[in-house]
Amino acid sequence: MGRYAHTLSPHLKEHMPRKPYNWKNGPDLIQQHSIAKHRILQSYLAAYFRTLVSSPNQDVLRLTLVDGFAGGGMYVHNDTQELVKGSPFIFLDATREAEFLINKDRRKPIDLQVDYFFIEADHHAYSHLDKVLRDGGHGERIGNTIQLRHAKFQDEADGVIEFIKRKSPKNGRSIFALDQYGYKEVPAPLIRKIFSQLPSAEVILTFGVDSFLNYASDGKLTQALLDDIGIPDILQGRTIEEIKNSEKDWRLFIQSGLYRTLVTRCGAKHFTPFFIRNRKGHGDYWLIHLSQHHRARDVMIEVHWDNNNYFIHYGGPGLDMFQIVGYDPEHDAQHKGQSELGFEFDDIARSASITALNEHIPRRVYANDEGLSFGELFATTCNDSPASAAIYRESVGFLLEQKIVEVINPDGGKRRSAQQIKPNDQIVAPSQRQLFLS
Ligand SMILES: C[S@@+](CC[C@H](N)C(=O)[O-])C[C@H]1O[C@@H](n2cnc3c(N)ncnc32)[C@H](O)[C@@H]1O
């Protein structure tokens, strides 16, 4: 039995996708696929800080970092037995490193005014986190810049939102990491509330898609539960049995509906869903980044491209990647490989993305006499593509070279190469082609 010996109520067990951590006797074991998630958080925070402080005249940056499911703060790696830091330390270390990197070459240093909320419902985890934060030299910050709460995130959310509104009234700049075990602790309306009150908030949500599907498969998914999670319309008036009987791949059917409903109900303009795959074969989950600005999404997409070992994104490489969103070969007896339908963030995927965009972009551009601006092209299609702005630029550069499109700057001049392209430039069909067509 060992360190997982604590008992759970049968009701809670049903909803547990992964073995819950237990910090009763010190740090608990962590598996490699959870470390992948830590890497992403780390890389994202580093990229986030870099993007935010790009103006040379800035002298203060106000930010609030919320770890709504903070855990016990420290783990032991299951394979290597090394100590591994949990998400609260990832937040603290990312800020410290960013402060150093940002200011090392600046004449006028930027004052990073960062507040942290670490919220943890479990008593042992909370006490362990308190201890390791103090051991790590953060004791004096607890109660000042670090708010450590032994509570449920749902119960603290309103207070946290109010704090952020007071601190950053203009934009509510904040990141919420909501690393729930399963799928029901963060109802969609709660995320919608965060976005409606804090325009610059970003949310990184863990959603246990496998456990959701298993729960559904066992026939336990009720309308009441869906109402509680704030995604009432997934079943579209049918029962799981009816869906199973009529849909060839009912898991795929539910996942597509689930994903679309979830992001719509959360009220975010931009989003990226990614699978994190448990190599042991079950317990896959989504890490969904939600934000209100396409630039934030682009930063996250770049992070995914940089960490391609950890992510498999099922979908196509062009502007229609969600046609087969959530396809999981593990659940398809006919298909055991990943390369045919799976999308991985590697060099092959990069060139596949460019090829697909090379086909899709002209269609968009030709659909309208005036074409569209590069900024508009990216902002209106990026949610449906795994490509980053850099990849879009590369594709438009190729189309320019091939004379399939022209790119006109705001003064009416023509751009010659991908590097020159700016968001306000207009991508249009080439004049010769228009003559030819008319
Ligand atoms: C997946 S673990 C968090 C791991 C942590 N984010 C990390 O990366 O180190 C989920 C944690 O959320 C806690 N928890 C469960 N329900 C919660 C709730 N409603 N509000 C806050 N914490 C909760 C659990 O006790 C557990 O420690």
Side-chain angles (χ1 to χ4, degrees), residues 137 145 250 374:
T145 51
W250 71 272
F374 181 73

Side-chain angles (χ1 to χ4, degrees), residues 47-324:
Y48 180 90
F49 278 115
R50 271 198 307 277
T51 314
L52 275 191
V53 294
S54 40
S55 149
N57 297 323
Q58 197 172 352
D59 49 13
V60 180
L61 173 68
R62 285 188 191 84
L63 171 67
T64 306
L65 297 173
V66 184
D67 195 348
F69 296 75
M74 204 60 87
Y75 303 84
V76 172
H77 194 292
N78 193 46
D79 308 328
T80 66
Q81 306 302 309
E82 278 169 21
L83 271 182
V84 174
K85 289 174 177 178
S87 50
F89 282 104
I90 289 174
F91 276 122
L92 291 165
D93 292 353
T95 310
R96 200 192 53 226
E97 280 157 29
E99 191 154 30
F100 170 75
L101 288 173
I102 289 163
N103 286 331
K104 77 179 171 27
D105 299 321
R106 278 179 101 97
R107 246 189 280 143
K108 191 173 164 197
I110 295 187
D111 178 14
L112 295 192
Q113 296 185 1
V114 183
D115 286 280
Y116 306 83
F117 283 84
F118 298 147
I119 303 165
E120 171 54 53
D122 176 73
H123 165 69
H124 295 301
Y126 165 81
S127 308
H128 193 266
L129 178 57
D130 182 71
K131 176 181 178 321
V132 290
L133 283 173
R134 289 175 198 282
D135 292 351
H138 299 288
E140 284 189 6
R141 300 169 73 183
I142 296 176
N144 297 311
T145 51
I146 297 178
Q147 301 298 326
L148 188 57
R149 301 280 160 80
H150 177 205
K152 285 187 162 191
F153 171 70
Q154 305 88 306
D155 298 338
E156 292 292 306
D158 281 346
V160 173
I161 292 173
E162 283 313 312
F163 173 93
I164 299 170
K165 274 164 71 177
R166 274 198 308 277
K167 174 176 170 171
S168 314
K170 226 167 75 198
N171 53 26
R173 182 163 289 134
S174 49
I175 298 180
F176 289 71
L178 303 179
D179 185 19
Q180 60 183 341
Y181 277 133
Y183 46 84
K184 68 176 183 64
E185 295 296 313
V186 188
L190 184 51
I191 297 184
R192 180 175 275 276
K193 189 176 200 177
I194 293 173
F195 286 128
S196 71
Q197 312 248 335
L198 310 170
S200 290
E202 297 182 29
V203 171
I204 301 172
L205 174 72
T206 308
F207 191 94
V209 66
D210 253 13
S211 66
F212 182 86
L213 288 169
N214 291 340
Y215 198 65
S217 177
D218 292 347
K220 293 175 189 153
L221 189 64
T222 58
Q223 191 57 47
L225 178 67
L226 291 175
D227 291 344
D228 277 355
I229 316 174
I231 44 176
D233 27 10
I234 288 177
L235 302 179
Q236 295 163 19
R238 295 196 279 171
T239 64
I240 288 284
E241 273 319 302
E242 284 165 348
I243 292 173
K244 272 183 172 175
N245 290 336
S246 62
E247 300 294 333
K248 211 166 115 234
D249 189 338
W250 71 272
R251 278 181 174 259
L252 176 58
F253 177 85
I254 299 265
Q255 282 188 67
S256 313
L258 170 64
Y259 175 71
R260 287 198 182 278
T261 311
L262 191 64
V263 294
T264 310
R265 295 254 167 195
C266 286
K269 281 206 196 88
H270 293 281
F271 37 86
T272 42
F274 291 94
F275 266 124
I276 297 190
R277 156 145 297 204
N278 181 348
R279 295 253 149 83
K280 300 231 161 68
H282 57 87
D284 294 351
Y285 55 93
W286 285 339
L287 195 69
I288 309 179
H289 174 244
L290 301 137
S291 69
Q292 298 290 71
H293 201 282
H294 62 83
R295 209 163 130 216
R297 182 189 187 275
D298 196 41
V299 172
M300 187 50 128
I301 280 277
E302 284 288 358
V303 166
H304 285 296
W305 282 97
D306 290 345
N307 289 272
N308 58 37
N309 293 342
Y310 297 113
F311 284 89
I312 300 171
H313 185 195
Y314 298 98
L319 295 182
D320 53 1
M321 73 174 181
F322 294 123
Q323 280 179 4
I324 46 174

